[in-house]
Amino acid sequence: MLLRKTALVLTLATAALLTFTTPATAEPVAPADVVAAPTAAAAANPVIVVGGLSGVAVAYEPIAGRLRADGYRAFVYQLPGLGLGDIPTSARAFATYVNQVRATTGAAAVDLVAHSEGGLVARYYLKRLGGTATVGRYVSLGSPQYGTYVANIVAFLGLGSCAGIVACQQMAIGSAFLADLNGGDDTPGPVRYTTIRTLQDELVRPTGNAVVNDGATNVLIQAYCPLRVVGHLGLVLDGTAYTIVRGALIDGPVRPNCLAL
């Protein structure tokens, strides 16, 4: 019985992993293709793509590449220890990275596009570490803003509280971390908040927990494109999801392209 339980947990964990091995760059380096960028995007805030749990930097190059092709100065941030540790600690490291990007680019503020756990790290930075002074826009992709039952399932299977993984414990519905993060205003400061979610998200359950309150723009892909099938990891690869991200970065209306590749 224990072997069966262990196998199920490993299956869930494997679904969450992005199977690449390239490490994140320690210091942010401006992409070379920014030189030829369109004027409007080149003048916009740099965009930091914040990775999720077990997400290595190279796994987010597809969406970063789309941003660069559209003229944005895009950077990828890999969570310390692949995001397995304490989320507030990861947020403090992220605060340092934001300052490095601002110093590298000369920008006063950045925009954030955060996947999964990265959305919680970024929100903690905004809410608890003064990040609202340095961020213009926050866009989350499948972030368990109010927790996920998937994080609770390990304890249900009798294997302890998230098998000892601190970030998993903090993403469980009802955790002390989420109670603190979601206490009071979900959307502090002048930052424009957008969340993007999908009905087929296998790791954020219920999928409604991927939204935030207090004035955010919460976008369900299937509300606009009912036939679009997008999984949790697919949110950083899907063309329709990207058209929503692109619209959010220019403060535009929600007009997903349901046929985008």
Side-chain angles (χ1 to χ4, degrees):
M1 181 61 72
L2 180 59
L3 289 176
R4 291 179 182 174
K5 293 178 179 179
T6 302
L8 179 55
V9 172
L10 289 175
T11 299
L12 291 168
T14 301
L17 294 177
L18 299 174
T19 54
F20 299 90
T21 56
T22 302
T25 302
E27 296 292 335
V29 177
D33 57 355
V34 167
V35 175
T39 302
N45 293 339
V47 180
I48 302 177
V49 178
V50 189
L53 179 65
S54 298
V56 297
V58 72
Y60 294 95
E61 281 301 321
I63 189 170
R66 289 181 189 263
L67 288 164
R68 291 170 191 146
D70 280 338
Y72 289 95
R73 296 166 292 174
F75 302 83
V76 176
Y77 182 71
Q78 177 180 300
L79 297 181
L82 292 179
L84 299 177
D86 177 60
I87 293 176
T89 299
S90 294
R92 286 187 283 273
F94 178 63
T96 299
Y97 185 82
V98 170
N99 288 334
Q100 290 173 347
V101 169
R102 292 173 59 222
T104 297
T105 61
V110 300
D111 293 337
L112 308 179
V113 176
H115 179 239
S116 194
E117 182 193 341
L120 298 178
V121 170
R123 267 190 72 211
Y124 190 91
Y125 165 65
L126 291 170
K127 190 165 185 175
R128 301 296 183 214
L129 302 177
T132 57
T134 58
V135 174
R137 299 165 188 84
Y138 165 96
V139 183
S140 67
L141 297 163
S143 293
Q145 309 284 4
Y146 278 78
T148 172
Y149 280 124
V150 175
N152 298 71
I153 199 170
V154 180
F156 175 78
L157 292 171
L159 295 176
S161 179
C162 282
I165 298 174
V166 174
C168 174
Q169 295 167 357
Q170 293 172 331
M171 288 188 285
I173 294 173
S175 73
F177 167 77
L178 288 174
D180 173 69
L181 181 65
N182 294 318
D185 189 0
D186 274 4
T187 57
V191 180
R192 296 180 68 98
Y193 292 82
T194 302
T195 74
I196 302 171
R197 70 189 191 280
T198 172
L199 290 178
Q200 292 88 28
D201 196 319
E202 64 278 19
L203 294 179
V204 179
R205 311 299 300 184
T207 57
N209 279 13
V211 308
V212 293
N213 303 309
D214 305 314
T217 299
N218 296 302
V219 184
L220 173 63
I221 290 175
Q222 288 75 26
Y224 297 85
C225 308
L227 300 182
R228 195 76 178 193
V229 177
V230 185
H232 183 74
L233 302 182
L235 284 165
V236 298
L237 303 171
D238 182 72
T240 295
Y242 178 71
T243 63
I244 303 170
V245 170
R246 186 172 56 194
L249 292 177
I250 60 171
D251 303 328
V254 180
R255 291 177 181 166
N257 180 349
C258 298
L259 301 178
L261 298 178

